[in-house]
Amino acid sequence: MRIVYQDTKKGVIEIVPETLDDLWHLSHIIEPGDLISSKTTRRIQDTTGERLRSDRGIKKTFFIGIRVESINFHKYTGKLRATGIIEQGPEDLVPLGTHHTLDLKLKYSVRITKEKWSRWVIKRLKDAVKSSKKPSAIIVAIEEDVADLGIIRQYGIEYYGPIIGGISGKRVISKNRGKNIADFYDEVAKTLANFEDIQGIVVAGPGFGKSDFYDFLSQKYSDLAKIATVENTGTGGRVGIREVLKKGTIEQMATEGRIAQEMRLMGKVLEEIGKSSNLAAYGKNEVINAANAGAVERLLVLDEKVREKDTENIMNLVESTGGKVTVVSSEHEGGKQLNALGGIAAILRYSLG
């Protein structure tokens, strides 16, 4: 994410999204009522009356500005779409006052004009710019002849796989077993090598497979082995990937650790609730009471709730009393757990019970 223009007096910031993570951040930065402008492509029909039936018109690319009514991020297709009323654009090509859906694309700048940029939205934007410079990481969970990959994104975990190898069981003697294992490991390694700018790899699993795969990387893919570490887990698959996140291994590698931190903080909240220690509060009313008492040590807010005015007031109050605020992504397991608690929770300095 790059900021290419900023005029705080006019409430204008122009941004260039560079990764899928940036589009996800923009989906929370852009709000209904904002005026956004970016390039769009439309097929313009001939209006002279001489158009042939087979003539589908000419594609033209131009800048268009819409007053946002809704914003939707589709993580599986990597598309960010804003829908609203056209307020800016060439009047000979687009009728002002009509609805239009603007596809916000990577490498294309988007200018955002807000009546007011809240400090939390500005903070999120700065964090996104800072995070875009951080290296990403991949967790490889291997169990026997199955490998699952978890790509660490800023919005959550993107799962890839499973990759399945045709390895015979231990009780079956096969002269090709060694070759099948090597072919399986080679397929997993080549898949890892296809991801660009990966600075950290965690090889995890319950048995000896993880160590064998790491040894294979050391011999055949030394560049990958240099950035890899081995972690023991109780199981493979997606459960094993989540276990790695909870252990904090990703943070220790100085890679993208936000998700792991959020999941551990949610684990702490649930632990305190389970113990009935009165050191956790959840739901808006409980959290407001704790914040007013200056008892909040760590506030957890679901990203979808930040835009609500009373939530922003709570966030400001917690910071003013020395507490820390963490905005939790709704795209991973920790976010779903927080949503079930009302979208807001807190770890307390002392019991209010």
Side-chain angles (χ1 to χ4, degrees):
M1 177 103 66
R2 289 185 294 117
I3 298 176
V4 295
Y5 176 80
Q6 184 170 349
D7 187 335
T8 51
K9 290 183 179 179
K10 294 182 179 179
V12 178
I13 298 179
E14 188 171 343
I15 301 160
V16 177
E18 298 174 309
T19 67
L20 184 63
D21 293 333
D22 293 342
L23 292 181
W24 173 72
H25 279 297
L26 277 178
S27 72
H28 292 281
I29 290 171
I30 297 171
E31 303 169 281
D34 292 349
L35 177 66
I36 66 168
S37 60
S38 188
K39 281 184 179 179
T40 191
T41 299
R42 269 194 169 186
R43 193 178 293 278
I44 306 300
Q45 301 288 353
D46 182 1
T47 57
T48 63
E50 301 176 358
R51 181 173 67 87
L52 299 175
R53 182 170 294 180
S54 60
D55 183 9
R56 299 178 60 227
I58 301 172
K59 278 188 175 181
K60 291 193 175 183
T61 301
F62 48 89
F63 274 91
I64 192 170
I66 66 169
R67 184 68 61 178
V68 177
E69 293 181 345
S70 64
I71 184 86
N72 293 291
F73 173 62
H74 306 273
K75 70 173 182 178
Y76 295 111
T77 60
K79 291 184 178 180
L80 178 61
R81 289 177 169 168
T83 300
I85 302 294
I86 300 174
E87 290 193 7
Q88 299 173 347
E91 294 187 47
D92 57 326
L93 298 180
V94 291
L96 302 184
T98 61
H99 275 88
H100 179 75
T101 296
L102 193 58
D103 284 330
L104 303 179
K105 300 177 181 179
L106 299 179
K107 313 300 181 183
Y108 283 79
S109 69
V110 54
R111 179 168 288 209
I112 306 168
T113 304
K114 291 178 178 286
E115 186 174 332
K116 179 187 177 184
W117 285 81
S118 78
R119 61 187 294 264
W120 292 104
V121 173
I122 289 289
K123 183 179 185 299
R124 180 168 200 143
L125 179 58
K126 290 180 178 178
D127 287 345
V129 172
K130 184 179 178 181
S131 295
S132 67
K133 299 174 183 178
K134 292 183 179 180
S136 55
I138 294 181
I139 301 170
V140 186
I142 289 187
E143 188 171 16
E144 296 181 350
D145 63 345
V146 179
D148 284 86
L149 274 59
I151 298 94
I152 309 303
R153 303 287 190 185
Q154 291 171 37
Y155 58 81
I157 309 166
E158 181 182 324
Y159 292 105
Y160 184 95
I163 301 171
I164 301 173
I167 304 171
S168 58
K170 292 179 181 179
R171 296 182 182 179
V172 180
I173 299 173
S174 172
K175 63 180 180 181
N176 294 323
R177 180 175 170 80
K179 181 180 182 301
N180 291 341
I181 292 174
D183 289 345
F184 169 55
Y185 287 169
D186 194 56
E187 183 181 357
V188 177
K190 285 180 177 177
T191 302
L192 289 172
N194 284 335
F195 289 95
E196 297 180 356
D197 301 323
I198 297 300
Q199 299 298 316
I201 299 171
V202 178
V203 182
F208 295 107
K210 60 183 180 297
S211 300
D212 293 341
F213 177 64
Y214 179 80
D215 292 340
F216 176 85
L217 289 180
S218 300
Q219 295 172 20
K220 304 288 186 180
Y221 294 85
S222 59
D223 288 345
L224 294 179
K226 288 176 183 176
I227 60 171
T229 187
V230 178
E231 182 68 64
N232 186 59
T233 57
T235 186
R238 297 187 178 186
V239 175
I241 290 171
R242 290 195 287 270
E243 188 176 335
V244 172
L245 286 170
K246 290 177 181 178
K247 285 185 175 184
T249 308
I250 297 297
E251 288 170 313
Q252 292 167 12
M253 295 172 63
T255 59
E256 179 56 60
R258 187 182 56 81
I259 303 165
Q261 182 194 39
E262 290 172 12
M263 290 182 70
R264 276 208 313 283
L265 288 171
M266 267 311 303
K268 177 67 173 174
V269 169
L270 296 175
E271 179 187 347
E272 296 299 340
I273 292 173
K275 293 191 302 185
S276 300
S277 65
N278 293 323
L279 289 176
Y282 61 92
K284 198 158 282 185
N285 290 335
E286 277 193 23
V287 172
I288 288 174
N289 290 336
N292 284 330
V296 176
E297 180 178 327
R298 173 78 67 165
L299 177 69
L300 277 65
V301 179
L302 195 67
D303 52 16
E304 296 174 349
K305 301 289 186 180
V306 174
R307 293 173 179 169
E308 298 176 5
K309 184 165 183 174
D310 51 350
T311 302
E312 188 176 335
N313 290 338
I314 298 170
M315 294 165 75
N316 290 334
L317 176 58
V318 167
E319 276 209 337
S320 69
T321 55
K324 293 183 179 179
V325 177
T326 297
V327 177
V328 177
S329 168
S330 55
E331 298 289 345
H332 59 67
E333 184 184 8
K336 292 175 175 58
Q337 291 170 336
L338 182 58
N339 188 49
L341 297 178
I344 188 166
I347 299 169
L348 307 184
R349 298 187 178 97
Y350 51 84
S351 172
L352 295 176

